[in-house]
Amino acid sequence: YYKIGTGRNSVDNIAGGLQDNGGFGFSNDTWYRYHGGDGMDCAIDPNDPNIYYGFLYFGDSFYVTKNGGASGSFVTSAPSDETGSDDDGGNWVTPLEMDHDGNIYAGYSKLYKLVDRSWEAVSEDVFGGDLSNIAFAASDKQIVYVSRFNRLFKSLDGGITFEEIDFSFTNNISSIEINHQNSDVIYISSGGNSEGIFTEVAKYGQNWKVYKSEDGGAEWTDITLNLPSEPQFVIKHQDQSPVNDIYLGTTVGVYHINDNMTEWEVFDLNLPNVPVVDLSINTEEATITAGTYGRGVWQSPIEVVKADTDISLIAINSNNTVQCEGLYPVIEVKNNGLNAFNTVDINYYVDDILYNY
């Protein structure tokens, strides 16, 4: 695997991009291949766990499956103004990211958004080349971070304009993670090469670092601590964690730390000694999913502390049939908290007019 993704509310829905083997989707206890070639970055729609998206190499082609991988279809090619070079698009692993509302973004030499089955530029060409990572803040979708090589950029207007973070990261940035509750807290891991892959995973002793900022990127703290000197591929923050649990995928497994710990701990019970290239955390099902480079996909339970009141939107189920009286969508909500409830307020818009139910 190069990348994986899981459903927002279901760890039984998994998307994955595999070297030389295409894009695969897991659903109904079955793996399906929904596109060929080299599978790369992927994402699952937060509002429909059976809709998976996946990239081909260099972001050259973009695919979708709407039935959990059982079948797939071509959506669009790389943006027309990104083609014509040797790599015909973005990086070998072109970054693909979905915001909390389900909007799809891709990183080429600009930040792009999928609009009506084609890529529409959001930013200008200000990065000096193809992007390696994209991260949207869960608590404020106007805050976006992107990276190229060891350079980090920040946007406060949804990705339209960016400013470079004035900090010298020693190695290439392999992943960016924003704290789910506090968008001022940022985590950076380092490893791999400029294209977001790890052809040099055996090169230890290169001073690989993990960094944390608590002021939106103005100042950075080295939180590598007791980690061995090995490339790191992905860092993830556990949503709703009162002690800010952090998980890190490296060339030899997974590490864990939180605010109550002074050192990283190995988090690898029953996990093979293998590069962990991507992680996905599902707090509603208290599960972490690891995509590995050579040994498939693995899952483990994690500790989740429930809040007193926590209600989440699971799905918007609608047959899109407009009747004389209007559209009647059906939504599914879930009580994740400790307190019982009998009603919930739903605010929604129709033609920019606010309604309440």
Side-chain angles (χ1 to χ4, degrees):
Y1 285 85
Y2 280 126
K3 295 286 186 178
I4 63 161
T6 61
R8 177 186 289 178
N9 303 295
S10 171
V11 295
D12 296 323
N13 291 84
I14 307 171
L18 287 80
Q19 180 179 351
D20 294 326
N21 284 276
F24 269 72
F26 184 79
S27 63
N28 300 316
D29 294 323
T30 304
W31 283 103
Y32 305 94
R33 187 170 71 170
Y34 65 95
H35 73 81
D38 285 275
M40 297 290 165
D41 210 347
C42 52
I44 296 183
D45 192 303
N47 299 314
D48 188 334
N50 289 302
I51 299 179
Y52 307 168
Y53 299 94
F55 259 142
L56 205 64
Y57 42 80
F58 300 127
D60 181 59
S61 299
F62 187 59
Y63 294 86
V64 64
T65 172
K66 296 184 178 181
N67 50 18
S71 63
S73 60
F74 172 80
V75 177
T76 187
S77 300
S80 58
D81 56 349
E82 299 282 345
T83 59
S85 61
D86 291 339
D87 59 17
D88 198 32
N91 275 330
W92 177 249
V93 183
T94 297
L96 176 68
E97 190 71 18
M98 188 173 288
D99 67 17
H100 195 74
D101 297 327
N103 298 306
I104 302 169
Y105 294 83
Y108 295 89
S109 66
K110 308 173 187 175
L111 180 67
Y112 286 83
K113 180 180 180 180
L114 188 70
V115 179
D116 296 331
R117 299 181 68 89
S118 63
W119 296 113
E120 182 178 291
V122 178
S123 74
E124 298 295 326
D125 185 354
V126 296
F127 311 111
D130 295 326
L131 296 174
S132 302
N133 297 282
I134 306 169
F136 283 85
S139 57
D140 186 348
K141 62 183 179 181
Q142 295 301 306
I143 299 177
V144 189
Y145 288 85
V146 300
S147 70
R148 179 175 186 266
F149 296 165
N150 62 339
R151 301 169 64 194
L152 182 65
F153 302 84
K154 178 180 181 179
S155 172
L156 296 176
D157 56 10
I160 299 174
T161 59
F162 282 88
E163 295 289 338
E164 185 169 0
I165 298 292
D166 185 19
F167 185 82
S168 179
F169 295 98
T170 305
N171 294 294
N172 291 324
I173 296 170
S174 58
S175 72
I176 310 165
E177 179 76 341
I178 307 172
N179 185 292
H180 287 75
Q181 279 73 51
N182 185 352
S183 59
D184 285 334
V185 179
I186 319 298
Y187 310 92
I188 296 292
S189 64
S190 61
N193 61 24
S194 61
E195 293 187 329
I197 55 179
F198 28 90
T199 54
E200 302 178 84
V201 295
K203 288 191 175 181
Y204 292 82
Q206 289 196 1
N207 202 30
W208 307 104
K209 298 290 186 180
V210 182
Y211 293 98
K212 175 183 178 181
S213 174
E214 296 182 333
D215 54 11
E219 301 290 337
W220 293 87
T221 301
D222 182 347
I223 59 169
T224 309
L225 301 174
N226 62 313
L227 287 172
S229 182
E230 61 193 38
Q232 306 135 7
F233 303 128
V234 59
I235 188 166
K236 294 290 185 179
H237 172 255
Q238 181 177 319
D239 187 16
Q240 304 174 31
S241 169
V243 292
N244 292 308
D245 288 288
I246 301 294
Y247 296 86
L248 180 73
T250 76
T251 55
V252 295
V254 178
Y255 294 85
H256 165 252
I257 198 170
N258 61 38
D259 293 343
N260 294 334
M261 301 167 62
T262 58
E263 291 187 340
W264 294 83
E265 66 176 4
V266 177
F267 189 86
D268 65 354
L269 183 62
N270 296 326
L271 183 70
N273 187 9
V274 61
V276 175
V277 294
D278 208 359
L279 294 168
S280 179
I281 298 175
N282 187 306
T283 54
E284 294 193 13
E285 298 194 6
T287 300
I288 187 170
T289 303
T292 75
Y293 191 68
R295 293 294 299 272
V297 175
W298 296 72
Q299 292 183 329
S300 170
I302 56 175
E303 182 179 358
V304 174
V305 178
K306 288 184 174 291
D308 290 337
T309 301
D310 181 11
I311 302 169
S312 64
L313 175 65
I314 300 297
I316 302 174
N317 306 309
S318 175
N319 59 12
N320 293 323
T321 300
V322 179
Q323 304 178 19
C324 294
E325 297 83 5
L327 181 66
Y328 288 91
V330 176
I331 69 168
E332 180 181 355
V333 296
K334 179 181 179 181
N335 182 9
N336 299 307
L338 300 176
N339 295 337
F341 69 92
N342 297 312
T343 62
V344 57
D345 289 331
I346 304 298
N347 298 308
Y348 62 98
Y349 290 85
V350 177
D351 296 332
D352 295 326
I353 300 175
L354 176 62
Y355 294 86
N356 175 269
Y357 179 76

